[in-house]
Amino acid sequence: MDLLEKIFGSKNQRKLKKIQPLLKAINELEEEFSKYDDSKLRGMRTEFIQRYQLGETLDQLLCEAFATTREVAKRQLKLRHFDCQIIGGIALHNCQIVEMATGEGKTLVSTLPVYLNALLNKGVHVVTVNDYLAKRDSEWM
């Protein structure tokens, strides 16, 4: 490790540092969103689309969209996105490659940027090389 890396951190550490405020904001929304009933959560999509059409960017909607996705996953799938999975979702939304080991929740991670980017009504594609997982997860999620 050279002197500059010791002072400023590695490239990955700097990227993670930039993501921390988003992660904090998403986590701070969890209690509020947990109080919403199912119809309010369903209505969030329409609200997000309207806000996008009025000029907000996907990046501006990210925290609330991810908080909505997390809450729906908790209720419908009985799975809660962990912080590392939220970070993975942010990275995927930012067109970065995310490497995760078997069992770390890649499918759950993908629900975050898929929901956010689906707000554009242009379609969203999830690519995998595993035919079994593609079939299972498309039905499951």
Side-chain angles (χ1 to χ4, degrees), residues 52-86:
Y52 178 79
Q53 290 170 342
L54 291 172
E56 284 190 59
T57 65
L58 290 182
D59 289 341
Q60 291 171 315
L61 296 170
L62 184 144
C63 293
E64 291 172 89
F66 277 32
T68 300
T69 306
R70 176 189 263 176
E71 186 58 35
V72 170
K74 284 171 27 183
R75 294 181 193 189
Q76 298 297 315
L77 304 172
K78 308 294 186 240
L79 297 172
R80 180 188 174 277
H81 296 84
F82 292 108
D83 286 357
C84 62
Q85 293 168 318
I86 298 282

PDB file of all heavy atoms in Angstrom, residues 52-86:
ATOM      1  N   TYR A  52     -40.767  11.746 -11.184  1.00  0.00           N
ATOM      2  CA  TYR A  52     -39.786  11.655 -12.266  1.00  0.00           C
ATOM      3  C   TYR A  52     -40.230  12.524 -13.447  1.00  0.00           C
ATOM      4  O   TYR A  52     -39.425  13.260 -14.017  1.00  0.00           O
ATOM      5  CB  TYR A  52     -39.603  10.192 -12.699  1.00  0.00           C
ATOM      6  CG  TYR A  52     -38.636  10.039 -13.845  1.00  0.00           C
ATOM      7  CD1 TYR A  52     -37.255  10.077 -13.627  1.00  0.00           C
ATOM      8  CD2 TYR A  52     -39.095   9.883 -15.145  1.00  0.00           C
ATOM      9  CE1 TYR A  52     -36.364   9.961 -14.681  1.00  0.00           C
ATOM     10  CE2 TYR A  52     -38.209   9.767 -16.197  1.00  0.00           C
ATOM     11  CZ  TYR A  52     -36.847   9.805 -15.963  1.00  0.00           C
ATOM     12  OH  TYR A  52     -35.971   9.700 -17.012  1.00  0.00           O
ATOM     13  N   GLN A  53     -41.513  12.442 -13.781  1.00  0.00           N
ATOM     14  CA  GLN A  53     -42.031  13.238 -14.901  1.00  0.00           C
ATOM     15  C   GLN A  53     -41.968  14.737 -14.623  1.00  0.00           C
ATOM     16  O   GLN A  53     -41.901  15.544 -15.541  1.00  0.00           O
ATOM     17  CB  GLN A  53     -43.464  12.812 -15.223  1.00  0.00           C
ATOM     18  CG  GLN A  53     -43.538  11.435 -15.837  1.00  0.00           C
ATOM     19  CD  GLN A  53     -44.954  10.888 -15.944  1.00  0.00           C
ATOM     20  OE1 GLN A  53     -45.880  11.366 -15.286  1.00  0.00           O
ATOM     21  NE2 GLN A  53     -45.120   9.868 -16.772  1.00  0.00           N
ATOM     22  N   LEU A  54     -41.939  15.090 -13.344  1.00  0.00           N
ATOM     23  CA  LEU A  54     -41.831  16.506 -12.963  1.00  0.00           C
ATOM     24  C   LEU A  54     -40.386  16.967 -12.832  1.00  0.00           C
ATOM     25  O   LEU A  54     -40.131  18.103 -12.466  1.00  0.00           O
ATOM     26  CB  LEU A  54     -42.581  16.755 -11.650  1.00  0.00           C
ATOM     27  CG  LEU A  54     -44.105  16.643 -11.728  1.00  0.00           C
ATOM     28  CD1 LEU A  54     -44.729  16.725 -10.340  1.00  0.00           C
ATOM     29  CD2 LEU A  54     -44.676  17.731 -12.635  1.00  0.00           C
ATOM     30  N   GLY A  55     -39.434  16.063 -13.134  1.00  0.00           N
ATOM     31  CA  GLY A  55     -38.048  16.495 -13.187  1.00  0.00           C
ATOM     32  C   GLY A  55     -37.084  15.859 -12.204  1.00  0.00           C
ATOM     33  O   GLY A  55     -35.880  16.101 -12.287  1.00  0.00           O
ATOM     34  N   GLU A  56     -37.584  15.084 -11.248  1.00  0.00           N
ATOM     35  CA  GLU A  56     -36.652  14.406 -10.343  1.00  0.00           C
ATOM     36  C   GLU A  56     -35.931  13.308 -11.113  1.00  0.00           C
ATOM     37  O   GLU A  56     -36.489  12.700 -12.031  1.00  0.00           O
ATOM     38  CB  GLU A  56     -37.380  13.809  -9.130  1.00  0.00           C
ATOM     39  CG  GLU A  56     -37.767  14.854  -8.105  1.00  0.00           C
ATOM     40  CD  GLU A  56     -38.258  14.240  -6.807  1.00  0.00           C
ATOM     41  OE1 GLU A  56     -37.502  13.481  -6.175  1.00  0.00           O
ATOM     42  OE2 GLU A  56     -39.413  14.524  -6.439  1.00  0.00           O
ATOM     43  N   THR A  57     -34.709  13.050 -10.746  1.00  0.00           N
ATOM     44  CA  THR A  57     -33.933  11.995 -11.396  1.00  0.00           C
ATOM     45  C   THR A  57     -34.088  10.692 -10.623  1.00  0.00           C
ATOM     46  O   THR A  57     -34.535  10.682  -9.464  1.00  0.00           O
ATOM     47  CB  THR A  57     -32.441  12.363 -11.427  1.00  0.00           C
ATOM     48  OG1 THR A  57     -31.945  12.406 -10.076  1.00  0.00           O
ATOM     49  CG2 THR A  57     -32.208  13.699 -12.117  1.00  0.00           C
ATOM     50  N   LEU A  58     -33.696   9.594 -11.261  1.00  0.00           N
ATOM     51  CA  LEU A  58     -33.708   8.313 -10.563  1.00  0.00           C
ATOM     52  C   LEU A  58     -32.805   8.359  -9.336  1.00  0.00           C
ATOM     53  O   LEU A  58     -33.138   7.785  -8.296  1.00  0.00           O
ATOM     54  CB  LEU A  58     -33.280   7.173 -11.495  1.00  0.00           C
ATOM     55  CG  LEU A  58     -34.259   6.799 -12.603  1.00  0.00           C
ATOM     56  CD1 LEU A  58     -33.719   5.618 -13.409  1.00  0.00           C
ATOM     57  CD2 LEU A  58     -35.649   6.492 -12.062  1.00  0.00           C
ATOM     58  N   ASP A  59     -31.687   9.047  -9.450  1.00  0.00           N
ATOM     59  CA  ASP A  59     -30.791   9.169  -8.300  1.00  0.00           C
ATOM     60  C   ASP A  59     -31.470   9.892  -7.138  1.00  0.00           C
ATOM     61  O   ASP A  59     -31.232   9.565  -5.982  1.00  0.00           O
ATOM     62  CB  ASP A  59     -29.500   9.886  -8.691  1.00  0.00           C
ATOM     63  CG  ASP A  59     -28.603   9.034  -9.576  1.00  0.00           C
ATOM     64  OD1 ASP A  59     -28.775   7.792  -9.600  1.00  0.00           O
ATOM     65  OD2 ASP A  59     -27.723   9.607 -10.247  1.00  0.00           O
ATOM     66  N   GLN A  60     -32.322  10.852  -7.437  1.00  0.00           N
ATOM     67  CA  GLN A  60     -33.049  11.565  -6.387  1.00  0.00           C
ATOM     68  C   GLN A  60     -34.146  10.698  -5.770  1.00  0.00           C
ATOM     69  O   GLN A  60     -34.525  10.910  -4.623  1.00  0.00           O
ATOM     70  CB  GLN A  60     -33.637  12.863  -6.932  1.00  0.00           C
ATOM     71  CG  GLN A  60     -32.582  13.900  -7.267  1.00  0.00           C
ATOM     72  CD  GLN A  60     -33.148  15.094  -8.003  1.00  0.00           C
ATOM     73  OE1 GLN A  60     -33.942  14.946  -8.944  1.00  0.00           O
ATOM     74  NE2 GLN A  60     -32.744  16.283  -7.599  1.00  0.00           N
ATOM     75  N   LEU A  61     -34.653   9.746  -6.520  1.00  0.00           N
ATOM     76  CA  LEU A  61     -35.703   8.851  -6.034  1.00  0.00           C
ATOM     77  C   LEU A  61     -35.143   7.581  -5.385  1.00  0.00           C
ATOM     78  O   LEU A  61     -35.881   6.835  -4.755  1.00  0.00           O
ATOM     79  CB  LEU A  61     -36.618   8.451  -7.196  1.00  0.00           C
ATOM     80  CG  LEU A  61     -37.403   9.584  -7.857  1.00  0.00           C
ATOM     81  CD1 LEU A  61     -38.060   9.097  -9.141  1.00  0.00           C
ATOM     82  CD2 LEU A  61     -38.435  10.162  -6.897  1.00  0.00           C
ATOM     83  N   LEU A  62     -33.858   7.357  -5.546  1.00  0.00           N
ATOM     84  CA  LEU A  62     -33.232   6.097  -5.150  1.00  0.00           C
ATOM     85  C   LEU A  62     -33.523   5.705  -3.708  1.00  0.00           C
ATOM     86  O   LEU A  62     -33.947   4.572  -3.445  1.00  0.00           O
ATOM     87  CB  LEU A  62     -31.718   6.166  -5.389  1.00  0.00           C
ATOM     88  CG  LEU A  62     -30.940   4.877  -5.104  1.00  0.00           C
ATOM     89  CD1 LEU A  62     -29.815   4.702  -6.101  1.00  0.00           C
ATOM     90  CD2 LEU A  62     -30.388   4.864  -3.696  1.00  0.00           C
ATOM     91  N   CYS A  63     -33.319   6.581  -2.765  1.00  0.00           N
ATOM     92  CA  CYS A  63     -33.465   6.210  -1.349  1.00  0.00           C
ATOM     93  C   CYS A  63     -34.882   5.749  -1.032  1.00  0.00           C
ATOM     94  O   CYS A  63     -35.074   4.701  -0.409  1.00  0.00           O
ATOM     95  CB  CYS A  63     -33.062   7.369  -0.447  1.00  0.00           C
ATOM     96  SG  CYS A  63     -31.303   7.751  -0.538  1.00  0.00           S
ATOM     97  N   GLU A  64     -35.861   6.504  -1.483  1.00  0.00           N
ATOM     98  CA  GLU A  64     -37.247   6.125  -1.210  1.00  0.00           C
ATOM     99  C   GLU A  64     -37.645   4.864  -1.974  1.00  0.00           C
ATOM    100  O   GLU A  64     -38.378   4.024  -1.444  1.00  0.00           O
ATOM    101  CB  GLU A  64     -38.185   7.272  -1.559  1.00  0.00           C
ATOM    102  CG  GLU A  64     -38.041   8.464  -0.627  1.00  0.00           C
ATOM    103  CD  GLU A  64     -38.844   9.648  -1.109  1.00  0.00           C
ATOM    104  OE1 GLU A  64     -40.028   9.739  -0.729  1.00  0.00           O
ATOM    105  OE2 GLU A  64     -38.292  10.451  -1.877  1.00  0.00           O
ATOM    106  N   ALA A  65     -37.174   4.726  -3.199  1.00  0.00           N
ATOM    107  CA  ALA A  65     -37.490   3.532  -3.984  1.00  0.00           C
ATOM    108  C   ALA A  65     -36.859   2.290  -3.346  1.00  0.00           C
ATOM    109  O   ALA A  65     -37.498   1.239  -3.256  1.00  0.00           O
ATOM    110  CB  ALA A  65     -37.019   3.697  -5.418  1.00  0.00           C
ATOM    111  N   PHE A  66     -35.629   2.405  -2.896  1.00  0.00           N
ATOM    112  CA  PHE A  66     -34.973   1.272  -2.238  1.00  0.00           C
ATOM    113  C   PHE A  66     -35.661   0.952  -0.911  1.00  0.00           C
ATOM    114  O   PHE A  66     -35.825  -0.211  -0.558  1.00  0.00           O
ATOM    115  CB  PHE A  66     -33.488   1.564  -2.023  1.00  0.00           C
ATOM    116  CG  PHE A  66     -32.615   1.285  -3.219  1.00  0.00           C
ATOM    117  CD1 PHE A  66     -33.057   1.442  -4.526  1.00  0.00           C
ATOM    118  CD2 PHE A  66     -31.304   0.886  -3.039  1.00  0.00           C
ATOM    119  CE1 PHE A  66     -32.232   1.197  -5.625  1.00  0.00           C
ATOM    120  CE2 PHE A  66     -30.468   0.629  -4.121  1.00  0.00           C
ATOM    121  CZ  PHE A  66     -30.939   0.788  -5.410  1.00  0.00           C
ATOM    122  N   ALA A  67     -36.071   1.980  -0.168  1.00  0.00           N
ATOM    123  CA  ALA A  67     -36.780   1.746   1.099  1.00  0.00           C
ATOM    124  C   ALA A  67     -38.116   1.052   0.843  1.00  0.00           C
ATOM    125  O   ALA A  67     -38.525   0.160   1.604  1.00  0.00           O
ATOM    126  CB  ALA A  67     -36.987   3.065   1.835  1.00  0.00           C
ATOM    127  N   THR A  68     -38.785   1.434  -0.242  1.00  0.00           N
ATOM    128  CA  THR A  68     -40.052   0.780  -0.608  1.00  0.00           C
ATOM    129  C   THR A  68     -39.804  -0.685  -0.956  1.00  0.00           C
ATOM    130  O   THR A  68     -40.519  -1.579  -0.482  1.00  0.00           O
ATOM    131  CB  THR A  68     -40.693   1.504  -1.816  1.00  0.00           C
ATOM    132  OG1 THR A  68     -40.949   2.864  -1.454  1.00  0.00           O
ATOM    133  CG2 THR A  68     -41.987   0.832  -2.245  1.00  0.00           C
ATOM    134  N   THR A  69     -38.792  -0.932  -1.770  1.00  0.00           N
ATOM    135  CA  THR A  69     -38.467  -2.301  -2.171  1.00  0.00           C
ATOM    136  C   THR A  69     -38.112  -3.152  -0.965  1.00  0.00           C
ATOM    137  O   THR A  69     -38.548  -4.302  -0.854  1.00  0.00           O
ATOM    138  CB  THR A  69     -37.300  -2.302  -3.182  1.00  0.00           C
ATOM    139  OG1 THR A  69     -37.629  -1.433  -4.264  1.00  0.00           O
ATOM    140  CG2 THR A  69     -37.015  -3.689  -3.704  1.00  0.00           C
ATOM    141  N   ARG A  70     -37.339  -2.596  -0.056  1.00  0.00           N
ATOM    142  CA  ARG A  70     -36.964  -3.335   1.160  1.00  0.00           C
ATOM    143  C   ARG A  70     -38.210  -3.706   1.963  1.00  0.00           C
ATOM    144  O   ARG A  70     -38.349  -4.838   2.413  1.00  0.00           O
ATOM    145  CB  ARG A  70     -36.025  -2.503   2.026  1.00  0.00           C
ATOM    146  CG  ARG A  70     -35.684  -3.195   3.345  1.00  0.00           C
ATOM    147  CD  ARG A  70     -34.938  -2.278   4.287  1.00  0.00           C
ATOM    148  NE  ARG A  70     -33.519  -2.516   4.195  1.00  0.00           N
ATOM    149  CZ  ARG A  70     -32.607  -1.815   4.847  1.00  0.00           C
ATOM    150  NH1 ARG A  70     -32.961  -0.817   5.618  1.00  0.00           N
ATOM    151  NH2 ARG A  70     -31.336  -2.104   4.735  1.00  0.00           N
ATOM    152  N   GLU A  71     -39.119  -2.759   2.124  1.00  0.00           N
ATOM    153  CA  GLU A  71     -40.318  -3.025   2.923  1.00  0.00           C
ATOM    154  C   GLU A  71     -41.197  -4.085   2.260  1.00  0.00           C
ATOM    155  O   GLU A  71     -41.726  -4.962   2.928  1.00  0.00           O
ATOM    156  CB  GLU A  71     -41.099  -1.727   3.154  1.00  0.00           C
ATOM    157  CG  GLU A  71     -42.269  -1.883   4.099  1.00  0.00           C
ATOM    158  CD  GLU A  71     -41.886  -2.408   5.479  1.00  0.00           C
ATOM    159  OE1 GLU A  71     -40.801  -2.086   5.993  1.00  0.00           O
ATOM    160  OE2 GLU A  71     -42.692  -3.176   6.057  1.00  0.00           O
ATOM    161  N   VAL A  72     -41.347  -4.007   0.949  1.00  0.00           N
ATOM    162  CA  VAL A  72     -42.156  -5.013   0.239  1.00  0.00           C
ATOM    163  C   VAL A  72     -41.509  -6.394   0.361  1.00  0.00           C
ATOM    164  O   VAL A  72     -42.202  -7.391   0.589  1.00  0.00           O
ATOM    165  CB  VAL A  72     -42.362  -4.608  -1.238  1.00  0.00           C
ATOM    166  CG1 VAL A  72     -42.984  -5.743  -2.036  1.00  0.00           C
ATOM    167  CG2 VAL A  72     -43.228  -3.347  -1.318  1.00  0.00           C
ATOM    168  N   ALA A  73     -40.199  -6.465   0.243  1.00  0.00           N
ATOM    169  CA  ALA A  73     -39.503  -7.748   0.377  1.00  0.00           C
ATOM    170  C   ALA A  73     -39.697  -8.325   1.779  1.00  0.00           C
ATOM    171  O   ALA A  73     -39.879  -9.534   1.942  1.00  0.00           O
ATOM    172  CB  ALA A  73     -38.014  -7.582   0.068  1.00  0.00           C
ATOM    173  N   LYS A  74     -39.659  -7.471   2.776  1.00  0.00           N
ATOM    174  CA  LYS A  74     -39.872  -7.943   4.154  1.00  0.00           C
ATOM    175  C   LYS A  74     -41.267  -8.561   4.293  1.00  0.00           C
ATOM    176  O   LYS A  74     -41.424  -9.610   4.907  1.00  0.00           O
ATOM    177  CB  LYS A  74     -39.717  -6.792   5.148  1.00  0.00           C
ATOM    178  CG  LYS A  74     -38.280  -6.399   5.393  1.00  0.00           C
ATOM    179  CD  LYS A  74     -38.064  -5.139   6.208  1.00  0.00           C
ATOM    180  CE  LYS A  74     -39.099  -4.717   7.185  1.00  0.00           C
ATOM    181  NZ  LYS A  74     -38.767  -3.424   7.847  1.00  0.00           N
ATOM    182  N   ARG A  75     -42.253  -7.924   3.700  1.00  0.00           N
ATOM    183  CA  ARG A  75     -43.639  -8.396   3.841  1.00  0.00           C
ATOM    184  C   ARG A  75     -43.947  -9.596   2.948  1.00  0.00           C
ATOM    185  O   ARG A  75     -44.586 -10.545   3.382  1.00  0.00           O
ATOM    186  CB  ARG A  75     -44.613  -7.264   3.515  1.00  0.00           C
ATOM    187  CG  ARG A  75     -44.550  -6.140   4.507  1.00  0.00           C
ATOM    188  CD  ARG A  75     -45.531  -5.059   4.165  1.00  0.00           C
ATOM    189  NE  ARG A  75     -45.242  -3.856   4.934  1.00  0.00           N
ATOM    190  CZ  ARG A  75     -46.051  -2.814   4.967  1.00  0.00           C
ATOM    191  NH1 ARG A  75     -47.180  -2.803   4.293  1.00  0.00           N
ATOM    192  NH2 ARG A  75     -45.717  -1.747   5.690  1.00  0.00           N
ATOM    193  N   GLN A  76     -43.534  -9.522   1.693  1.00  0.00           N
ATOM    194  CA  GLN A  76     -43.923 -10.538   0.726  1.00  0.00           C
ATOM    195  C   GLN A  76     -42.999 -11.752   0.704  1.00  0.00           C
ATOM    196  O   GLN A  76     -43.461 -12.867   0.493  1.00  0.00           O
ATOM    197  CB  GLN A  76     -43.992  -9.934  -0.684  1.00  0.00           C
ATOM    198  CG  GLN A  76     -45.023  -8.841  -0.828  1.00  0.00           C
ATOM    199  CD  GLN A  76     -46.437  -9.337  -0.589  1.00  0.00           C
ATOM    200  OE1 GLN A  76     -46.826 -10.378  -1.089  1.00  0.00           O
ATOM    201  NE2 GLN A  76     -47.201  -8.596   0.180  1.00  0.00           N
ATOM    202  N   LEU A  77     -41.722 -11.522   0.870  1.00  0.00           N
ATOM    203  CA  LEU A  77     -40.743 -12.605   0.762  1.00  0.00           C
ATOM    204  C   LEU A  77     -40.199 -13.052   2.116  1.00  0.00           C
ATOM    205  O   LEU A  77     -39.489 -14.045   2.198  1.00  0.00           O
ATOM    206  CB  LEU A  77     -39.561 -12.165  -0.121  1.00  0.00           C
ATOM    207  CG  LEU A  77     -39.896 -11.693  -1.522  1.00  0.00           C
ATOM    208  CD1 LEU A  77     -38.661 -11.102  -2.195  1.00  0.00           C
ATOM    209  CD2 LEU A  77     -40.477 -12.836  -2.345  1.00  0.00           C
ATOM    210  N   LYS A  78     -40.515 -12.260   3.154  1.00  0.00           N
ATOM    211  CA  LYS A  78     -39.955 -12.502   4.495  1.00  0.00           C
ATOM    212  C   LYS A  78     -38.431 -12.408   4.460  1.00  0.00           C
ATOM    213  O   LYS A  78     -37.727 -13.104   5.182  1.00  0.00           O
ATOM    214  CB  LYS A  78     -40.403 -13.851   5.072  1.00  0.00           C
ATOM    215  CG  LYS A  78     -41.896 -14.087   5.050  1.00  0.00           C
ATOM    216  CD  LYS A  78     -42.628 -13.133   5.958  1.00  0.00           C
ATOM    217  CE  LYS A  78     -44.115 -13.468   6.038  1.00  0.00           C
ATOM    218  NZ  LYS A  78     -44.969 -12.413   5.608  1.00  0.00           N
ATOM    219  N   LEU A  79     -37.918 -11.537   3.592  1.00  0.00           N
ATOM    220  CA  LEU A  79     -36.479 -11.288   3.461  1.00  0.00           C
ATOM    221  C   LEU A  79     -36.239  -9.787   3.562  1.00  0.00           C
ATOM    222  O   LEU A  79     -36.931  -9.005   2.925  1.00  0.00           O
ATOM    223  CB  LEU A  79     -35.951 -11.793   2.111  1.00  0.00           C
ATOM    224  CG  LEU A  79     -36.039 -13.286   1.842  1.00  0.00           C
ATOM    225  CD1 LEU A  79     -35.665 -13.585   0.395  1.00  0.00           C
ATOM    226  CD2 LEU A  79     -35.129 -14.053   2.796  1.00  0.00           C
ATOM    227  N   ARG A  80     -35.243  -9.414   4.360  1.00  0.00           N
ATOM    228  CA  ARG A  80     -34.892  -8.005   4.515  1.00  0.00           C
ATOM    229  C   ARG A  80     -33.509  -7.777   3.917  1.00  0.00           C
ATOM    230  O   ARG A  80     -32.571  -8.500   4.223  1.00  0.00           O
ATOM    231  CB  ARG A  80     -34.871  -7.627   5.990  1.00  0.00           C
ATOM    232  CG  ARG A  80     -34.515  -6.187   6.243  1.00  0.00           C
ATOM    233  CD  ARG A  80     -34.314  -5.918   7.740  1.00  0.00           C
ATOM    234  NE  ARG A  80     -33.848  -4.569   7.952  1.00  0.00           N
ATOM    235  CZ  ARG A  80     -32.580  -4.183   7.861  1.00  0.00           C
ATOM    236  NH1 ARG A  80     -31.634  -5.054   7.548  1.00  0.00           N
ATOM    237  NH2 ARG A  80     -32.237  -2.933   8.078  1.00  0.00           N
ATOM    238  N   HIS A  81     -33.401  -6.775   3.069  1.00  0.00           N
ATOM    239  CA  HIS A  81     -32.105  -6.424   2.484  1.00  0.00           C
ATOM    240  C   HIS A  81     -31.160  -5.957   3.588  1.00  0.00           C
ATOM    241  O   HIS A  81     -31.495  -5.050   4.355  1.00  0.00           O
ATOM    242  CB  HIS A  81     -32.256  -5.278   1.473  1.00  0.00           C
ATOM    243  CG  HIS A  81     -33.076  -5.613   0.278  1.00  0.00           C
ATOM    244  ND1 HIS A  81     -34.448  -5.533   0.268  1.00  0.00           N
ATOM    245  CD2 HIS A  81     -32.709  -6.007  -0.958  1.00  0.00           C
ATOM    246  CE1 HIS A  81     -34.898  -5.854  -0.934  1.00  0.00           C
ATOM    247  NE2 HIS A  81     -33.869  -6.152  -1.702  1.00  0.00           N
ATOM    248  N   PHE A  82     -29.998  -6.574   3.674  1.00  0.00           N
ATOM    249  CA  PHE A  82     -28.963  -6.132   4.596  1.00  0.00           C
ATOM    250  C   PHE A  82     -28.219  -4.950   3.974  1.00  0.00           C
ATOM    251  O   PHE A  82     -28.315  -4.698   2.770  1.00  0.00           O
ATOM    252  CB  PHE A  82     -27.972  -7.271   4.888  1.00  0.00           C
ATOM    253  CG  PHE A  82     -28.575  -8.401   5.676  1.00  0.00           C
ATOM    254  CD1 PHE A  82     -28.836  -9.613   5.059  1.00  0.00           C
ATOM    255  CD2 PHE A  82     -28.886  -8.245   7.015  1.00  0.00           C
ATOM    256  CE1 PHE A  82     -29.386 -10.664   5.775  1.00  0.00           C
ATOM    257  CE2 PHE A  82     -29.435  -9.287   7.745  1.00  0.00           C
ATOM    258  CZ  PHE A  82     -29.687 -10.499   7.120  1.00  0.00           C
ATOM    259  N   ASP A  83     -27.454  -4.243   4.780  1.00  0.00           N
ATOM    260  CA  ASP A  83     -26.720  -3.078   4.285  1.00  0.00           C
ATOM    261  C   ASP A  83     -25.834  -3.424   3.092  1.00  0.00           C
ATOM    262  O   ASP A  83     -25.774  -2.672   2.113  1.00  0.00           O
ATOM    263  CB  ASP A  83     -25.870  -2.456   5.397  1.00  0.00           C
ATOM    264  CG  ASP A  83     -26.703  -1.688   6.425  1.00  0.00           C
ATOM    265  OD1 ASP A  83     -27.937  -1.593   6.254  1.00  0.00           O
ATOM    266  OD2 ASP A  83     -26.106  -1.181   7.388  1.00  0.00           O
ATOM    267  N   CYS A  84     -25.141  -4.562   3.161  1.00  0.00           N
ATOM    268  CA  CYS A  84     -24.255  -4.931   2.050  1.00  0.00           C
ATOM    269  C   CYS A  84     -25.059  -5.173   0.769  1.00  0.00           C
ATOM    270  O   CYS A  84     -24.567  -4.912  -0.335  1.00  0.00           O
ATOM    271  CB  CYS A  84     -23.400  -6.147   2.402  1.00  0.00           C
ATOM    272  SG  CYS A  84     -24.349  -7.638   2.751  1.00  0.00           S
ATOM    273  N   GLN A  85     -26.291  -5.633   0.893  1.00  0.00           N
ATOM    274  CA  GLN A  85     -27.141  -5.835  -0.272  1.00  0.00           C
ATOM    275  C   GLN A  85     -27.648  -4.503  -0.827  1.00  0.00           C
ATOM    276  O   GLN A  85     -27.749  -4.327  -2.038  1.00  0.00           O
ATOM    277  CB  GLN A  85     -28.303  -6.767   0.075  1.00  0.00           C
ATOM    278  CG  GLN A  85     -27.823  -8.176   0.375  1.00  0.00           C
ATOM    279  CD  GLN A  85     -28.903  -9.040   0.988  1.00  0.00           C
ATOM    280  OE1 GLN A  85     -29.657  -8.593   1.855  1.00  0.00           O
ATOM    281  NE2 GLN A  85     -28.966 -10.298   0.540  1.00  0.00           N
ATOM    282  N   ILE A  86     -27.932  -3.563   0.053  1.00  0.00           N
ATOM    283  CA  ILE A  86     -28.314  -2.216  -0.387  1.00  0.00           C
ATOM    284  C   ILE A  86     -27.148  -1.585  -1.151  1.00  0.00           C
ATOM    285  O   ILE A  86     -27.335  -0.991  -2.225  1.00  0.00           O
ATOM    286  CB  ILE A  86     -28.697  -1.330   0.821  1.00  0.00           C
ATOM    287  CG1 ILE A  86     -29.908  -1.889   1.574  1.00  0.00           C
ATOM    288  CG2 ILE A  86     -28.903   0.122   0.395  1.00  0.00           C
ATOM    289  CD1 ILE A  86     -31.247  -1.650   0.953  1.00  0.00           C
TER     290      ILE A  86
END
